[in-house]
Amino acid sequence: MNEPTRSTHSLPAHPRIPPSSGFRFTPTWTLFYKEVLRFGKVWLQTVAAPLVTTLLYLVVFGHALGGRVSVYPGVSYTAFIVPGLMMMSVLQNAFANSSSSLIQAKVTGNIVFLLLSPLGPSEIFVAMTAASIVRGVVVGFAILILALFYLQLPIIHPLWVLVFTLLGAGGMGALGLIAGLWAEKFDQIAGFQNFLIMPLTFLAGVFYSVRSLPPAWQKISLINPFFYVIDGFRYGFFGLSDVSVWLCLAVSAVFAAVASFLAWRLLRSGYKLRQ
Amino acid sequence: MSPPPAVWVSGLRKAYASHLALAGVDLAIPEGEFFGLLGPNGAGKSTLINILAGMVQRSSGRAEIFGFDVERDYRRSRQMLGVVPQELAYDPFFTVREFLRLQSGYFGLRRNDDWIDELMAELDLTDKANANLRSLSGGMKRRVLIAQALVHRPPVVVLDEPTAGVDVELRQGLWRFMRRYNREGHTVILTTHYLEEAEELCSRIGILQRGRLIALDAKDHLLARFTWRVLTVTFDKDPGPLPETLAGFLSGAGENTLVLRLDQSRHSLSSVLAALQDLPAQILDLHVQEPDLEDAFTDILGNVGIEQP
């Protein structure tokens, strides 16, 4: 049997191939494009369905409570819930995009094509999180456009709207990556969505101001990071919020940063991807 | 300094919680070789390939593709490597052309349509370019897997059981394609359960068993180790008892037929024939069977005292 000698050979020059540490645009763009194309091909499920669900919330809650409840002075209840519903959809869809893409790829085995490629963890993270943000923004924007047919909605601080959209969708895209990496079956993702994401978004002040809650529930709401994302986002529309917009910014940024760091670390370690 | 081999593996180990998949493998595959990696199920073939491809993390040892470490320098090593996976994986969202374009992009190639068209033509996929991957037959999906492995023109290609479950016609077509690819200077590593396939295509063979490389040699050398031949002789009637010189080599008998297992180094065919002609029956037919890779494989596994699959 031939025993190979120690590696004393020189490395050949491969000028077209960058060093391992480099971040490459084309592979990252390709994965981003693929993820966007993926949800675009099933737009009925990924865009139209959440849009219809949100509009149903708007119509039902708006009509049921619209004349009876006033949260902020000068803001109708129906207008009040629109930013909350928008952000709830942004968060849920950003999470769904990265988590469903990963779990489908893992279960069907086509994750192998990503693993065989030279894409690094940072590139995978950036591409998949960016695609999640795009899906969240597409759904959120579609809700806004349709809502504007229905009612008057001010956007007093558009920059805050943009900042909280990016932080919320980015953080949830990263959280979706974590869930997609951790899960081995579709029902685990469904569990993550139904038992964690859905309750946290519903209880984050989408339909009410936390000031209207009993003190104990107010305190519980204040440990929910989604509350700060939604409250800050709503501030962008009305210039009014339950807590300081800067506190919302700080909590939202910490949430997005922690989720992103964890997702990147898991990708870098090959957690449940590379044995 | 010599140029690096296409694949270089030294002291490669992979331990799982329950078992040792690779127990220190040393292997060097020079550029341009058609190398066959054989072994029974669970021998460690897929683990070795998956370590080279970066899908499995090694426990210890070294693995390089053209001098690039598969973990520290994974971008460059993967850029040099194309892998046809064993499983018929596909992404149901995309057409064949979309899929191959996306794979090109992963490898940093934005305008690769000329090569994609050429690959599809070569693999008879042109008619299916705009078909969804989900709608393709198993054979067609297998061709797409080969195309994706070659889409970035890697100098080293690993084919993990590429013809498992494909019909004879497609298998022959894939063999022709792989031979041509190898003739053009690419290194091809083939794992297969079809020993006939390895014998047909590979110039050198490595046999893995329980995570160890128990044989590594040129195919011709492996076969030359086996000097026995099986001689099947059919007579017009019962030839009666064999002469003493041949009786010890009888390995089977049927109606008017004798099967002799002869060692070529000790028995010349002419002396055996002369002895057979002395029997009281006419020889109607003779068939000499040379050892093939399957015999070598069986013999090597048998010699290391290991059960076969």
Side-chain angles (χ1 to χ4, degrees), chain B residues 39-268:
Chain B
N41 289 333
K45 303 186 297 291
S46 291
T47 304
L48 176 55
I49 282 167
N50 287 337
I51 288 175
L52 293 175
M55 290 194 293
V56 168
Q57 295 171 343
R58 65 194 166 203
S59 301
S60 62
R62 295 178 64 183
E64 296 176 1
I65 309 288
F66 277 107
F68 297 119
D69 186 273
V70 297
E71 287 183 13
R72 281 192 302 277
D73 231 344
Y74 68 88
R75 284 181 206 269
R76 284 185 281 201
S77 69
R78 287 183 210 162
Q79 198 85 32
M80 307 293 239
L81 186 70
V83 178
V84 180
Q86 195 178 133
E87 301 296 327
L88 270 186
Y90 63 94
D91 195 326
F93 286 91
F94 302 108
T95 65
V96 174
R97 182 181 291 284
E98 283 171 339
F99 173 65
L100 294 177
R101 279 182 179 159
L102 290 171
Q103 285 302 119
S104 301
Y106 291 166
F107 286 88
L109 304 169
R110 293 192 80 172
R111 292 176 194 84
N112 200 27
D113 272 12
D114 288 348
W115 175 236
I116 288 173
D117 286 339
E118 203 177 319
L119 269 178
M120 286 196 296
E122 198 64 55
L123 290 160
D124 284 336
L125 284 166
T126 307
D127 292 347
K128 302 287 181 187
N130 298 313
N132 187 290
L133 287 161
R134 190 174 32 200
S135 69
L136 301 184
S137 66
M140 284 291 176
K141 286 191 184 106
R142 184 71 66 186
R143 294 176 205 209
V144 175
L145 286 182
I146 294 172
Q148 69 78 31
L150 305 180
V151 83
H152 58 292
R153 301 175 191 244
V156 183
V157 182
V158 174
L159 302 138
D160 194 1
E161 306 278 355
T163 54
V166 305
D167 61 39
V168 175
E169 192 185 352
L170 175 57
R171 185 176 302 172
Q172 297 285 347
L174 292 179
W175 285 7
R176 275 195 300 277
F177 184 76
M178 288 180 227
R179 268 201 212 94
R180 213 196 80 189
Y181 202 72
N182 177 245
R183 271 200 305 273
E184 288 169 357
H186 297 89
T187 309
V188 182
I189 301 168
L190 172 75
T191 80
T192 181
H193 271 101
Y194 301 112
L195 298 178
E196 175 204 357
E197 185 167 81
E199 190 170 347
E200 179 80 23
L201 297 170
C202 302
S203 54
R204 205 159 61 107
I205 305 279
I207 299 177
L208 270 174
Q209 174 61 43
R210 288 192 179 163
R212 293 181 193 282
L213 204 52
I214 56 170
L216 177 64
D217 211 338
K219 178 185 67 188
D220 296 339
H221 290 171
L222 271 182
L223 295 177
R225 291 185 193 183
F226 303 94
T227 53
W228 54 263
R229 301 286 182 273
V230 172
L231 180 65
T232 307
V233 193
T234 308
F235 296 91
D236 62 344
K237 59 182 180 182
D238 185 354
L242 276 176
E244 258 182 44
T245 49
L246 294 180
F249 304 104
L250 187 67
S251 69
E255 193 183 345
N256 302 342
T257 301
L258 297 175
V259 181
L260 301 166
R261 187 180 164 101
L262 306 168
D263 188 334
Q264 222 181 18
S265 61
R266 287 194 289 155
H267 303 96
S268 75

Side-chain angles (χ1 to χ4, degrees), chain A residues 56-225:
Chain A
L56 286 173
Y57 280 132
L58 190 62
V59 171
V60 171
F61 280 86
H63 272 288
L65 300 171
R68 293 175 225 170
V69 178
S70 177
V71 184
Y72 293 146
V75 178
S76 70
Y77 179 72
T78 312
F80 171 84
I81 62 172
V82 169
L85 286 171
M86 277 177 67
M87 183 46 82
M88 186 173 80
S89 292
V90 168
L91 297 175
Q92 289 176 352
N93 281 280
F95 176 87
N97 204 62
S98 49
S99 60
S100 64
S101 178
L102 258 183
I103 192 68
Q104 278 178 13
K106 281 167 65 173
V107 170
T108 60
N110 68 58
I111 190 78
V112 67
F113 303 119
L114 190 60
L115 300 180
L116 290 171
S117 79
L119 276 151
S122 304
E123 293 158 333
I124 294 173
F125 170 77
V126 168
M128 295 195 70
T129 307
S132 294
I133 292 173
V134 169
R135 175 161 157 194
V137 167
V138 167
V139 174
F141 192 69
I143 292 168
L144 177 65
I145 298 295
L146 284 178
L148 287 175
F149 282 109
Y150 189 69
L151 47 80
Q152 290 275 319
L153 197 66
I155 305 179
I156 293 175
H157 302 296
L159 194 60
W160 281 121
V161 170
L162 181 67
V163 166
F164 283 102
T165 303
L166 293 179
L167 287 175
M172 289 303 275
L175 198 61
L177 276 176
I178 295 168
L181 289 169
W182 164 77
E184 284 156 15
K185 297 182 288 185
F186 288 109
D187 66 323
Q188 289 174 320
I189 289 289
F192 212 99
Q193 273 175 315
N194 293 324
F195 299 118
L196 187 71
I197 307 299
M198 190 74 92
L200 284 179
T201 48
F202 262 84
L203 299 174
V206 172
F207 298 102
Y208 52 83
S209 162
V210 291
R211 288 177 185 170
S212 64
L213 296 174
W217 282 105
Q218 274 192 41
K219 282 184 183 162
I220 291 171
S221 293
L222 293 179
I223 57 171
N224 178 359

